[in-house]
Amino acid sequence: MQQYYDKYSYPPGFDPYPEEKKRQKKELFQIGSFVGAALLAFLMLQNIVVMLLMIVGLYKKYLNDALFQTGIEILSSVFCILLPFVFFGRIISKRYTGAEILPLEKPKDTALSVFAVPFGVGLCMAANIVTSYLIVFMGLFGVKLSSPEMLRVDGFAGFLLSVIQVSVAAALVEEISLRGSVMQNLRKYGDTFAVVMSAVVFGIMHMNLVQAPFAMIVGLGLGFITVKTGSIWPAIVVHAINNFFSTVITYLPQWGVDEKAVNIIYSLALYAFLGLGVVFGYFFIRRAGRISPYQNNGSVLTTGEKAKAFLLSPTILIAMLVMLYYTAQYVGLMQR
């Protein structure tokens, strides 16, 4: 693996690795193109699902039948997210030396993984708080941020199906796709770079300014946890717990809990999880520093050069523009 050179050992403006820089920029550009292709496939497959529902006359049922919609969303998460990201991730890992998809192996340290879960859930709660402040801040300027609303199935059976959708399917699919494929294939260029870029992709995938900032913050935390533990299982567990918590809060009104009580329960749970996250985060970071150092010396490129090469590939730019268009649909002006 190429190590960084000492910049004080060479005259100003002298580049000791011009060919290696050129090669790495080209490779990152190509990896970005494949990741962008996965994003575009994600968008295209979603539209294909809608078209198929229209063709067979089930689109109206999808819009109005919560049970049917939830079932379709579970299948769509596998078809629209997992398949394209794993497919293009495999292409990257086979084409470029040092790139690979992180296998579903056990974490390398049990204690570290135990600390990782409450730490990660606490990060999710912190992301919730930041997102809430963002919504309030934008509201001060008359801008209303919203996100897509999913129908909820009534009853305990509906709750279980929703848990399967968001806590099981979404956690597995999104972590394997983002932390297992995108992030892992970028780690040869440095762990920090890989964590940040995968979080950016995770954020823009959500296509609205309520979920996207939340997803980006959570993506940073889950990427950090995955790198330190050497497995995506802790991130999957954190993702599942966070989504389960959100599902329970959503269903509380259906179970007869009034709005004021729901807000109190939500606030108490949020800050309790946040407090646990701070405590366990201390132990996680302390232990991780001893047994799992960051790998950030795998490239002769600067951070800016790496980000530019990766993000300016045509497919990523097109995907980002399309997703910005969809994001704009959930931004409106408040009535004065």
Side-chain angles (χ1 to χ4, degrees), residues 89-105:
R90 286 295 183 189
I91 292 177
I92 295 170
S93 63
K94 290 180 180 179
R95 177 172 290 197
Y96 305 107
T97 304
E100 59 180 348
I101 293 180
L102 185 66
L104 292 169
E105 59 188 14

Side-chain angles (χ1 to χ4, degrees), residues 207-220:
M207 296 184 287
N208 64 81
L209 291 178
V210 174
Q211 293 173 309
F214 173 83
M216 195 172 297
I217 297 169
V218 169
L220 292 172

Side-chain angles (χ1 to χ4, degrees), residues 262-277:
V262 170
N263 290 333
I264 292 174
I265 292 171
Y266 172 77
S267 297
L268 289 175
L270 186 149
Y271 285 104
F273 281 132
L274 186 61
L276 285 173

Side-chain angles (χ1 to χ4, degrees), residues 53 58-76 150-165 251 254:
L53 289 172
L58 293 174
Y59 186 62
K60 187 174 181 180
K61 180 179 178 65
Y62 169 78
L63 293 177
N64 299 292
D65 187 326
L67 182 63
F68 182 69
Q69 184 182 98
T70 303
I72 292 296
E73 289 299 320
I74 292 174
L75 295 175
S76 293
M150 299 296 296
L151 296 177
R152 293 294 178 190
V153 189
D154 294 332
F156 187 69
F159 169 72
L160 288 179
L161 192 59
S162 294
V163 168
I164 293 172
Q165 177 192 355
Y251 270 88
Q254 292 189 17

Side-chain angles (χ1 to χ4, degrees), residues 126-136 145 209-215 217:
N128 272 315
I129 294 172
V130 172
T131 303
S132 298
Y133 277 114
L134 174 63
I135 294 172
V136 172
L145 303 180
L209 291 178
V210 174
Q211 293 173 309
F214 173 83
I217 297 169

Side-chain angles (χ1 to χ4, degrees), residues 316-331:
I316 282 191
L317 288 176
I318 293 170
M320 290 178 69
L321 288 173
V322 173
M323 290 178 177
L324 283 173
Y325 168 77
Y326 283 113
T327 299
Q329 312 307 306
Y330 296 99
V331 179

Side-chain angles (χ1 to χ4, degrees), residues 47-224:
N47 289 321
I48 288 176
V49 170
V50 172
M51 289 174 60
L52 289 174
L53 289 172
M54 289 180 174
I55 291 171
V56 298
L58 293 174
Y59 186 62
K60 187 174 181 180
K61 180 179 178 65
Y62 169 78
L63 293 177
N64 299 292
D65 187 326
L67 182 63
F68 182 69
Q69 184 182 98
T70 303
I72 292 296
E73 289 299 320
I74 292 174
L75 295 175
S76 293
S77 66
V78 175
F79 180 63
C80 300
I81 302 176
L82 186 65
L83 288 183
F85 277 95
V86 171
F87 174 75
F88 286 105
R90 286 295 183 189
I91 292 177
I92 295 170
S93 63
K94 290 180 180 179
R95 177 172 290 197
Y96 305 107
T97 304
E100 59 180 348
I101 293 180
L102 185 66
L104 292 169
E105 59 188 14
K106 292 181 180 179
K108 56 190 177 184
D109 184 84
T110 302
L112 189 64
S113 300
V114 171
F115 296 154
V117 173
F119 172 50
V121 174
L123 288 174
C124 292
M125 298 304 112
N128 272 315
I129 294 172
V130 172
T131 303
S132 298
Y133 277 114
L134 174 63
I135 294 172
V136 172
F137 176 76
M138 296 301 290
L140 296 176
F141 299 93
V143 178
K144 181 180 180 181
L145 303 180
S146 60
S147 59
E149 293 186 5
M150 299 296 296
L151 296 177
R152 293 294 178 190
V153 189
D154 294 332
F156 187 69
F159 169 72
L160 288 179
L161 192 59
S162 294
V163 168
I164 293 172
Q165 177 192 355
V166 301
S167 297
V168 179
L172 281 168
V173 165
E174 292 178 5
E175 290 312 308
I176 292 173
S177 300
L178 276 299
R179 257 60 66 182
S181 179
V182 175
M183 188 190 79
Q184 187 66 13
N185 277 323
L186 290 171
R187 286 187 65 188
K188 61 182 294 188
Y189 287 97
D191 287 343
T192 300
F193 174 73
V195 168
V196 172
M197 289 299 105
S198 62
V200 169
V201 174
F202 189 44
I204 64 176
M205 276 181 63
H206 285 75
M207 296 184 287
N208 64 81
L209 291 178
V210 174
Q211 293 173 309
F214 173 83
M216 195 172 297
I217 297 169
V218 169
L220 292 172
L222 295 182
F224 177 70

